[in-house]
Amino acid sequence: MRLIPALAIVVALAAAGCQYSASVSGSNAELNQEAEAVYDDLLAGDDAAIVARMSSENDPQLVARQLPMLREMVGHDSAPDPIVLSSIQATDNSGRTYTVEQSYSHPDRIVVTRNEFVRENDAWRLRGIHLNVEMTGSGMGPGPDTAADAG
């Protein structure tokens, strides 16, 4: 009877050992440019180009319905050069991912985008787009308009 509990422990340890996950900081210039192109397409209203980049995990019709709302949040026709805030590459049992956060400083708002890419059939595909918009009103970056505060 002692064999069954010992066998259960061995099976549990073996199953736990099969889980793999590794993450590293590191920038991928090609995928950073791809994220920048996604933002440019969003501003230009090229929803079809964004939908074409999406991974198979996404419903193309649902993505297409969400893009006008995201474009309205950004509210500009052209993108300034982005600043890469962070990037991380991860590998686990389900595959490889790359996430990059970029900041765009528009005249009246800061837009931080987070794009997550997933490796799918030997190609990188876009899994998700996340936007965070901070209205500045100053064109000077995040925070209150210091000229207005001084007067």
Side-chain angles (χ1 to χ4, degrees):
M1 289 296 173
R2 290 185 187 206
L3 180 61
I4 292 177
L7 184 58
I9 291 171
V10 170
V11 170
L13 289 174
C18 292
Q19 298 298 317
Y20 172 74
S21 178
S23 298
V24 293
S25 295
S27 193
N28 180 319
E30 181 181 332
L31 289 176
N32 293 351
Q33 288 177 345
E34 183 71 14
E36 190 173 344
V38 168
Y39 191 70
D40 289 339
D41 289 341
L42 179 67
L43 294 179
D46 194 352
D47 295 351
I50 296 171
V51 170
R53 288 185 172 95
M54 299 303 289
S55 75
S56 62
E57 299 174 31
N58 293 285
D59 176 348
Q61 293 175 343
L62 180 60
V63 171
R65 286 194 305 263
Q66 293 173 346
L67 292 173
M69 177 191 63
L70 294 178
R71 187 172 18 269
E72 191 172 312
M73 289 172 54
V74 175
H76 287 274
D77 295 329
S78 62
D81 290 335
I83 298 169
V84 175
L85 301 175
S86 68
S87 60
I88 190 161
Q89 300 177 50
T91 303
D92 62 22
N93 288 6
S94 63
R96 294 173 57 196
T97 61
Y98 179 76
T99 304
V100 59
E101 286 188 343
Q102 295 174 312
S103 176
Y104 296 87
S105 183
H106 292 282
D108 63 343
R109 66 194 76 195
I110 303 297
V111 178
V112 175
T113 64
R114 187 180 78 215
N115 291 278
E116 183 179 358
F117 296 91
V118 62
R119 193 76 173 167
E120 191 173 90
N121 298 326
D122 294 327
W124 287 102
R125 308 295 294 170
L126 185 62
R127 178 183 280 167
I129 307 165
H130 307 275
L131 297 178
N132 184 4
V133 180
E134 179 183 349
M135 301 303 293
T136 64
S138 68
M140 304 290 285
D145 183 350
T146 55
D149 291 345

